[in-house]
Every structure is written in structure tokens, then in C-alpha cells.
Amino acid sequence: MSSTDFRIDPHPAMTPCDPGSADAFTTDEISEADHPHFEAPDEGISVGTWESAPCRRVIDSWPVHEMMTIVSGALTLTHKDGRSENFGPGDTFYIAKGQYVVWEITEKLRKMYMIVG
């Protein structure tokens, strides 16, 4: 796919990536994969598809500005005040850089994302 294409395949061939701490995963499956669709490192922008097995991570400071759309699976985000939001296929949401969040994938998740560092 070139940077001039308008449509992005939500089911591309995925490449395994480092899943981080195995302790975060909540099932026997420990896996993460990614597929970059577009990157502009000089502008800190990347667009891609990412998936992960169920896991739970407390993130004190989200590292980037990120907008994402859930392709498949389920996710619960919990805010610092304890309020939770559930997301599933077709849901689009945004997490601001620096935001505290508890990220809990409750069903194997595939998301499409746009990150601005």
C-alpha cells in the first residue's frame, strides 16, 4: 500500500512484536503483532494495525496521542477517577498523551491506530 491509497486493509499480514511482560497477559496466550501502514517519523506520525491477546496494563502516562478503531475483540479502559468505558468492533476513541489509563483487553483485540508522538 502506498501513502497515496485511501483505503487501509483492516486485516493485513501481521508481524509478531515484543509482547512485553508476560505477567500482564490474562490467558495462556502471550502475543502481540503489528502492521505499519504509514509512517512519517520526521512528523512523529504512524498509522497501523495492532493486535494483542487478552491482558491488563496500568499505564500511568500514555506515551503518545492516539486515535484508534476496534476491528475485533473487546477492551475496557478505566480512567484515574475509576470510571470505565467498554469498546468493541466499530468503536473509535482517542487517548491523549500523558493520560492515566488501565488498559484491559477482555477478548483478543485488533485495532487500527493513528499515533502522533
Side-chain angles (χ1 to χ4, degrees):
M1 173 167 298
S2 76
S3 61
T4 59
D5 291 341
F6 290 108
R7 188 175 305 274
I8 296 175
D9 180 5
H11 301 285
M14 303 293 284
T15 302
C17 55
D18 180 9
S21 173
D23 294 344
F25 289 88
T26 56
T27 66
D28 291 338
E29 184 180 0
I30 298 171
S31 67
E32 285 186 23
D34 190 47
H35 179 88
H37 296 286
F38 172 80
E39 292 187 349
D42 55 323
E43 298 174 44
I45 298 171
S46 61
V47 175
T49 301
W50 177 86
E51 73 178 15
S52 176
C55 63
R56 183 180 187 278
R57 294 185 172 111
V58 176
I59 302 168
D60 290 321
S61 179
W62 197 260
V64 293
H65 294 290
E66 182 173 1
M67 187 171 91
M68 54 198 99
T69 299
I70 305 299
V71 176
S72 61
L75 170 71
T76 299
L77 294 179
T78 303
H79 300 268
K80 196 166 197 161
D81 65 5
R83 183 174 45 92
S84 294
E85 296 181 77
N86 297 311
F87 298 95
D91 290 336
T92 299
F93 57 97
Y94 170 79
I95 301 176
K97 183 176 183 175
Q99 186 172 345
Y100 170 94
V101 66
V102 177
W103 172 272
E104 186 171 5
I105 297 172
T106 56
E107 181 183 319
K108 187 172 185 169
L109 185 78
R110 179 173 284 214
K111 69 175 184 175
M112 296 179 73
Y113 62 84
M114 180 173 182
I115 292 172
V116 176

